[in-house]
Amino acid sequence: MRIPILKMHEYLLISIQVELDDQTALQFQEDLLKRIHDTGAKGVVIDLTSVDMIDSFIAKVLGDVVRMSKLMGAQVMLTGIQPAVAITLIDLGISMREVPTALDLEQGLDKLRLELEE
Amino acid sequence: MRNMINDISSNKRDVIAQKWKNELSTLKNLCISSKITPDMFEQLNEEFLDMMIRYINQNDIEKDQTLHRFFDKVLQLNMPLKFLTQGLQTFRRVILDVLLQEDVKKEKAIDIYQHVDRLIDPLLNEVVEESSLFWEKTVSAQKTALMELSAPVIPVLENITVMPLIGTIDTERAKLIMENLLDGVIKNRSLVVLIDITGVPVVDTMVAHHIIQAADAVRLLGATCILVGIRPEIAQTIISLGIDLSYFPTKSTLLKGIEHALEITNQQLLKK
């Protein structure tokens, strides 16, 4: 199972609409880094609106992806995290403080644009 | 035997009333302290006795709702439950006293005793049940009210929401606060949420932990949390407890918080 990665100008857009298992998440990590390398994208938005469960491993992978992408010069934004997911993550003790977040895709793109302009 | 009880209860009403009043006079102080005048107490007492005698004569609770209505009335007046329970017990005692003063045989006396018992006991149960229902209703109404007042989310400006917290925060309430906060962020599409703790009397490690968790959750959704209303004594406790609140902005007053929020959302208030 592969997660589609869409390119729009200098951004990459990913909407995760399947249940993330460990294998899919690792595959996604590899695919995304490769796409960033190929396209030279400056910003990445990962939309989690339709994800209703994130466990500690997935959270770690997502955190890693954000840091790895940053190393390669792409700013990542997580958007659309559901309240229930946020509560689960907090209960697990995962606060992902270093990861930028936004309410939805629209605000995520706006925030990214602001950050990249600065 | 029924007739005998009936006869006695109606013929000797005065004697019964006298004894009853004597016995219940000890309760008077207890009741009058709760906003009930001595006149009212006398009146209630009289009504109670009347009803009891009528009940003994009719020998049926269900037929007649007057007793129910009387219990309700007493409870509405905030009278202590003791007034009803002791009243019933006293009534039983008085009736038995009066009956046994008549010249009766031992077997008959036992019969009478059992009969009176059978009359009074269901009433006692009724009273207790009714009053506990009454209190349950009151408590659940108050609980709902408390929940509603507990964690309101108020949108004040575009993309800016305020949640004022008043009173102590325990684990259960913290959970409610977090849920309301996150739902509010989604509903109002907020970019900035201000948590106002002016009304929180004590901030210990547990309360701070809950606030930090709420702020982290808000951040995961993509909004920023600003903690406002930090009084000097709270700042002192937070620092001396070694709590780290540096992950998110904090301000002393709601006003300063809103100014900061406007800055974050690139907005400005203009005077006309």
Side-chain angles (χ1 to χ4, degrees):
Chain A
M1 184 68 207
R2 285 194 165 189
I3 294 165
I5 299 169
L6 313 175
K7 178 178 174 296
M8 190 180 87
H9 307 303
E10 51 195 349
Y11 302 113
L12 293 179
L13 306 181
I14 299 105
S15 169
I16 297 180
Q17 295 176 354
V18 291
E19 202 179 314
L20 277 174
D21 57 50
D22 298 1
Q23 195 52 48
T24 318
L26 289 172
Q27 180 71 50
F28 165 67
Q29 171 183 320
E30 234 166 82
D31 290 352
L32 179 62
L33 295 176
K34 197 161 174 299
R35 261 324 263 285
I36 292 173
H37 180 77
D38 292 347
T39 59
K42 284 183 189 164
V44 178
V45 178
I46 304 177
D47 185 65
L48 300 170
T49 309
S50 24
V51 174
D52 41 33
M53 235 300 287
I54 290 183
D55 61 21
S56 51
F57 182 75
I58 305 292
K60 182 189 166 294
V61 172
L62 285 174
D64 287 351
V65 167
V66 172
R67 280 193 295 271
M68 293 168 184
S69 308
K70 215 167 186 178
L71 273 180
M72 299 182 62
Q75 178 77 31
V76 181
M77 184 77 64
L78 296 185
T79 63
I81 296 179
Q82 297 297 313
V85 175
I87 291 176
T88 327
L89 285 176
I90 296 298
D91 284 347
L92 288 171
I94 304 161
S95 51
M96 303 218 277
R97 286 198 173 113
E98 72 287 357
V99 181
T101 50
L103 204 59
D104 53 26
L105 188 62
E106 192 184 343
Q107 287 189 3
L109 279 172
D110 285 350
K111 263 194 185 176
L112 259 187
R113 199 167 294 147
L114 273 178
E115 275 181 36
L116 291 178
E117 271 170 18
E118 273 167 9
Chain B
M1 183 189 66
R2 274 278 312 279
N3 289 336
M4 191 175 157
I5 297 179
N6 288 352
D7 282 350
I8 289 173
S9 56
S10 30
N11 293 339
K12 301 234 168 172
R13 196 183 179 287
D14 291 343
V15 186
I16 294 176
Q18 193 51 47
K19 283 192 174 217
W20 154 282
K21 266 181 201 155
N22 283 344
E23 293 243 4
L24 277 190
S25 59
T26 48
L27 267 181
K28 214 167 176 176
N29 292 332
L30 195 79
C31 296
I32 287 167
S33 60
S34 56
K35 282 187 226 152
I36 292 188
T37 60
D39 281 348
M40 253 167 105
F41 181 77
E42 289 296 328
Q43 205 186 327
L44 270 178
N45 226 343
E46 199 69 38
E47 204 180 327
F48 196 2
L49 184 63
D50 260 353
M51 221 140 26
M52 285 307 295
I53 288 176
R54 216 179 325 143
Y55 165 66
I56 288 277
N57 289 338
Q58 282 181 350
N59 193 17
D60 194 355
I61 313 180
E62 299 307 323
K63 236 186 239 166
D64 193 358
Q65 290 289 313
T66 42
L67 268 172
H68 276 283
R69 255 176 269 137
F70 179 73
F71 292 159
D72 269 349
K73 185 170 137 196
V74 171
L75 290 173
Q76 297 279 346
L77 281 171
N78 252 334
M79 297 276 279
L81 181 58
K82 208 176 167 194
F83 172 70
L84 289 177
T85 51
Q86 195 151 335
L88 285 171
Q89 282 158 0
T90 308
F91 187 77
R92 163 159 60 187
R93 212 158 41 236
V94 170
I95 285 275
L96 284 178
D97 266 1
V98 174
L99 280 174
L100 293 178
Q101 268 167 22
E102 306 287 307
D103 205 12
V104 283
K105 279 189 201 136
K106 199 181 164 194
E107 291 82 27
K108 190 130 200 203
I110 291 174
D111 261 4
I112 291 173
Y113 184 83
Q114 280 176 343
H115 185 72
V116 173
D117 251 6
R118 264 200 292 279
L119 279 176
I120 302 286
D121 278 348
L123 265 190
L124 264 176
N125 286 341
E126 189 106 351
V127 166
V128 171
E129 200 169 312
E130 209 143 298
S131 68
S132 67
L133 265 180
F134 181 78
W135 289 120
E136 255 168 46
K137 253 190 242 160
T138 319
V139 168
S140 76
Q142 280 173 349
K143 225 177 193 171
T144 341
L146 211 63
M147 288 288 253
E148 283 164 356
L149 295 174
S150 166
V153 178
I154 308 161
V156 284
L157 292 162
E158 203 188 332
N159 295 335
I160 300 176
T161 310
V162 175
M163 176 182 261
L165 295 180
I166 291 169
T168 47
I169 298 173
D170 55 14
T171 313
E172 198 184 333
R173 195 170 166 213
K175 226 173 127 190
L176 186 80
I177 288 172
M178 169 123 64
E179 279 166 17
N180 280 6
L181 196 60
L182 298 187
D183 286 344
V185 168
I186 297 285
K187 210 176 104 197
N188 304 315
R189 292 179 51 84
S190 326
L191 284 178
V192 181
V193 189
L194 297 120
I195 299 182
D196 182 17
I197 57 164
T198 314
V200 180
V202 190
V203 177
D204 53 15
T205 37
M206 200 202 53
V207 173
H209 175 70
H210 288 313
I211 292 175
I212 291 173
Q213 281 199 328
D216 275 338
V218 166
R219 220 195 48 79
L220 277 176
L221 293 193
T224 311
C225 203
I226 304 178
L227 192 62
V228 300
I230 299 181
R231 288 171 278 131
E233 61 265 33
I234 286 189
Q236 286 174 46
T237 19
I238 286 176
I239 294 306
S240 47
L241 285 173
I243 300 164
D244 188 4
L245 289 181
S246 59
Y247 301 107
F248 47 92
T250 49
K251 296 276 177 233
S252 56
T253 59
L254 184 59
L255 182 68
K256 284 190 180 144
I258 287 184
E259 280 168 5
H260 188 68
L262 287 169
E263 241 171 70
I264 293 178
T265 53
N266 277 327
Q267 297 182 79
Q268 217 175 355
L269 286 182
L270 290 178
K271 270 186 193 158
K272 256 195 180 171

